[in-house]
Structure formats: C-alpha cells, structure tokens
Amino acid sequence: MNRKPVALAVAVVAVVVLLCGGTVALPVLMFGQERAEAAACELPPLPDGTVPDVGRWSGAQVANAAAIVTVGRQQDIPARGYVIALATAMQESTLRNLANANVPESLNLPHEGVGRDHDSVGLFQQRPGWGTVRERMTPSYAAAKFYEALARVEGWERMRLTDAAQAVQRSGYPEEYQKWEDDAELLAAAVLGLPDIRDIGGGAPTAPCGLDEFGPVPVGPGGWVQPLNAFVGSPFGPRGGRLHAGVDMSKADVRGDPIRAASGGVVEQVKCDWYTTCDRDGHTGARGCGWYVDIRHPGNIVTRYCHMIRRPEVSIGQQIAAGAVIGFVGNSGGSSGPHLHFEVHVNVPAGPYNANSSNAVDPVPFMRSRGAPLGARP
C-alpha cells in the first residue's frame, strides 16, 4: 500500500509544536536511548473539541484513536507504539468501543457496537483479566493496559508490527494486525497534525525524530559507502546449482538496522516479489528477495538490496544520495534469518528489469575497489 499524505486541515490538533532534541550521532541506538530520544520529540497534549472524520474513519473512531495516542504520550511510549496500538484496535474492533452480547453489563455502558467474541469488550477486545467491564470499556484505561503489556515485550521497538501486537494480544490470527500498518501510520499522523508519523520515529523500526536522525556516514572518495555495517556471510558464487548473485550481510541483532544506498543514483525498482509473502518473516522454502530496492548509478551500475523488513522508505524515480537510509534489515522472501542480501550489477541496459545474473559481479572486490570495503567495522 502506498502512503497518501493527510491534509493538516483534517488533523485533530489546530496547532502542533514539535520539540525535537539534538542529532543522534550513532546510526544504531540502544532501546533505552531510542526511548529517551523519542521523548525529546514529544508533542503537547491534544485539546478537547469536536473530532472530524479522517479518511475512512468516522469522528467517533478518530476520537478513540486520539485517546489511544494521548495515553501513549502520557506513558512516554515512542511514536512507534502509537502505530502498533492503533493497528491492534483497528483489527480488534475497527476502532469502536464494543459491548458484548455475552456480557450483559457492557450493554448498559456507552458503546459503539455489539460483538459476540467470548467475553471480550472495548477497543482492544480485552477479556476479564485486563480489568472490570467498565474499565475495559473506557478507552483511556484499555489503551493504558495495552501499552503496559507492550512495554514488557523485550525489543518490541524493532519487531514487525504484527509480532509486537501479537505478543500482547495472543490472537488466533497473529498475522492480521500487519495489514493495518499503513492505515495506523496515516491516522496517527492525522491525530498529531503531522504530514508523516515517521517524522517523529513512528515508522518501522523506530528512528527518533525521523530517518535523518540516523545521521550521515563517511562516504569514500569514489562516492561509495557500505550499505550495512555487518559481516559478509554467504559469498557470491554458485549455490545449489544456481548463482547466488550477491553477498549476505548480517550480525547479531541486525533486524531493523538501517540499510544505506551504496552510492548516489536514482531508485529504479521498489517492490516485493510476487511469489513471496511480504510484511512477514520469510523462510528457506520461499523464493526471491521479498521487499527490495534497485538503485541505478552513473555508468550503468545497479545495486540491489533484498529482504527488507517492510515496504522500503524510498520510491521509484527518487534521487538518492550515497549513504541515505533506504530501508531496514528484515527477513522477507526466501530467507533463513534477518540479513541484507546485497548485489552489484554492471553494464546494465536501461530499464527497470535488466539487472540479472548475467551482469552480476562479486560485491566484495567491487566495493573494495571503490574505497568502501564490506565487513563489520568498530
């Protein structure tokens, strides 16, 4: 799904002041530092007042979304948490405060619909262990309990949205939360009066105050840079009767690390292979790159970046500088675990589908000759 900008005119807040701290020097942050930096981008409380519709969401649904976001800010949850909470409520209740026909008490409380799922009520369809009926049908209470549970999930900031949500909800349909990610990002931005929730680190994974906060990296004299500071594992060459047309780069805790353009150029391809399941972890029985990006550089050179965690952060035709963050390490497609599969193609004819095994070269000597050797550095 492509992101669509949300007009500020439909935002819930009339005036928003973004208070963002200094730049972050290191491209990879520890979770505790991520949370501290995200807090520097906190917004003032939302004012009371009539809540307008936003896209497919009615005023009542947007009001519930605003309550969820407000509680997240009160609990110092990074913006990524707002998106996870909104996507969860979208899946569980379509952002409606639901009573339950099996819970008579709930029918006498303010509600926006009636469900029948066991004894679950409210925005997050929480069961009795989460609180009393009245508490679970109070949006602010329900959101607070969700965030409390999310905060106990180790490393949730770097998880796929559906994995983080499932760690809290324990649903029988664990993959269903993922489909709401783009909707949740758009609605969170509208509630906060922002053009893009990623501006305050609400994308996946967390980037405090947006992608720019990863900071620049040194670019070699030839204009090339490491796409990922990680070890080279599986090399270029024959594998199982076919060419492994690139190298696999990984290290401990690599999931969610930023992937950078190896050199300046124009984005030529952004897609997910049709024969893989994207927005979820791949496996060795699957095929293809999952989410990937091709960048065409001067001299008919094309670089490819595979297995991203979700839709890349760039678009076709976009001019990219060397070292710019284009996406994040994941495990989509035919993959045995989170890593970056990096390819280099030379003498590639014009056109978005001409980088193939016939013009692939070993990235290790190629990048070394460009003054940007691959491999982990201190």
Side-chain angles (χ1 to χ4, degrees), residues 6-13 16 46 52-55 62 183-197:
V6 179
L8 295 184
V10 300
V12 180
V13 254
V16 178
L46 297 173
D53 295 356
V54 175
V62 176
D183 288 88
E185 289 185 1
L186 287 168
L187 186 53
V191 164
L192 293 170
L194 297 172
D196 193 327
I197 194 63

Side-chain angles (χ1 to χ4, degrees), residues 85-172:
L86 289 176
T88 302
M90 288 173 177
Q91 171 61 24
E92 296 291 351
S93 67
T94 60
L95 280 174
R96 295 176 300 151
N97 195 19
L98 295 181
N100 190 317
N102 301 317
V103 184
E105 181 184 350
S106 69
L107 300 173
N108 297 320
L109 297 170
H111 58 275
E112 297 151 356
V114 179
R116 294 180 177 274
D117 183 11
H118 296 89
D119 47 12
S120 302
V121 297
L123 293 175
F124 295 91
Q125 289 293 276
Q126 293 162 334
R127 303 191 70 181
W130 294 83
T132 67
V133 174
R134 182 175 293 276
E135 286 172 336
R136 289 178 283 143
M137 290 187 65
T138 302
S140 58
Y141 175 92
K145 298 300 287 186
F146 178 87
Y147 286 126
E148 288 172 10
L150 180 66
R152 291 193 293 269
V153 177
E154 184 177 359
W156 67 265
E157 296 95 333
R158 290 196 169 208
M159 290 181 176
R160 292 186 308 143
L161 182 149
T162 199
D163 292 335
Q166 174 64 2
V168 175
Q169 297 293 106
R170 306 298 176 91
S171 168

Side-chain angles (χ1 to χ4, degrees), residues 67-357:
I68 291 170
V69 171
T70 298
V71 172
R73 293 218 311 274
Q74 291 169 346
Q75 292 192 355
D76 292 329
I77 299 293
R80 178 63 177 162
Y82 315 159
V83 175
I84 295 169
L86 289 176
T88 302
M90 288 173 177
Q91 171 61 24
E92 296 291 351
S93 67
T94 60
L95 280 174
R96 295 176 300 151
N97 195 19
L98 295 181
N100 190 317
N102 301 317
V103 184
E105 181 184 350
S106 69
L107 300 173
N108 297 320
L109 297 170
H111 58 275
E112 297 151 356
V114 179
R116 294 180 177 274
D117 183 11
H118 296 89
D119 47 12
S120 302
V121 297
L123 293 175
F124 295 91
Q125 289 293 276
Q126 293 162 334
R127 303 191 70 181
W130 294 83
T132 67
V133 174
R134 182 175 293 276
E135 286 172 336
R136 289 178 283 143
M137 290 187 65
T138 302
S140 58
Y141 175 92
K145 298 300 287 186
F146 178 87
Y147 286 126
E148 288 172 10
L150 180 66
R152 291 193 293 269
V153 177
E154 184 177 359
W156 67 265
E157 296 95 333
R158 290 196 169 208
M159 290 181 176
R160 292 186 308 143
L161 182 149
T162 199
D163 292 335
Q166 174 64 2
V168 175
Q169 297 293 106
R170 306 298 176 91
S171 168
Y173 305 94
E175 290 292 335
E176 292 301 304
Y177 302 107
Q178 193 67 41
K179 67 187 179 186
W180 297 105
E181 185 162 25
D182 283 0
D183 288 88
E185 289 185 1
L186 287 168
L187 186 53
V191 164
L192 293 170
L194 297 172
D196 193 327
I197 194 63
R198 293 175 299 179
D199 292 345
I200 59 168
T206 277
C209 304
L211 294 180
D212 291 343
E213 291 300 320
F214 283 112
V217 292
V219 178
W224 290 77
V225 64
Q226 260 193 355
L228 179 70
N229 183 24
F231 297 102
V232 175
S234 184
F236 177 91
R239 181 199 285 176
R242 58 185 302 178
L243 178 66
H244 184 236
V247 295
D248 293 343
M249 303 182 67
S250 189
K251 62 180 179 181
D253 299 323
V254 75
R255 182 192 289 271
D257 278 6
I259 299 169
R260 298 177 181 271
S263 187
V266 176
V267 177
E268 190 167 73
Q269 190 66 266
V270 176
K271 66 179 296 185
C272 184
D273 289 342
W274 67 269
Y275 41 77
T276 65
T277 300
C278 297
D279 295 328
R280 65 177 65 188
D281 281 349
H283 52 85
T284 54
R287 298 176 57 196
C289 268
W291 280 115
Y292 77 95
V293 169
D294 283 355
I295 300 176
R296 182 174 288 269
H297 311 280
N300 291 323
I301 298 170
V302 172
T303 53
R304 177 169 293 168
Y305 313 77
C306 297
H307 306 308
M308 293 187 183
I309 197 168
R310 57 163 286 169
R311 178 180 287 279
E313 304 297 319
V314 293
S315 55
I316 293 175
Q318 184 176 344
Q319 184 74 43
I320 297 295
V325 175
I326 60 174
F328 298 92
V329 175
N331 189 31
S332 60
S335 175
S336 59
H339 70 281
L340 168 64
H341 174 84
F342 176 60
E343 297 181 7
V344 176
H345 300 259
V346 299
N347 301 318
V348 183
Y353 298 102
N354 291 322
N356 52 51
S357 59

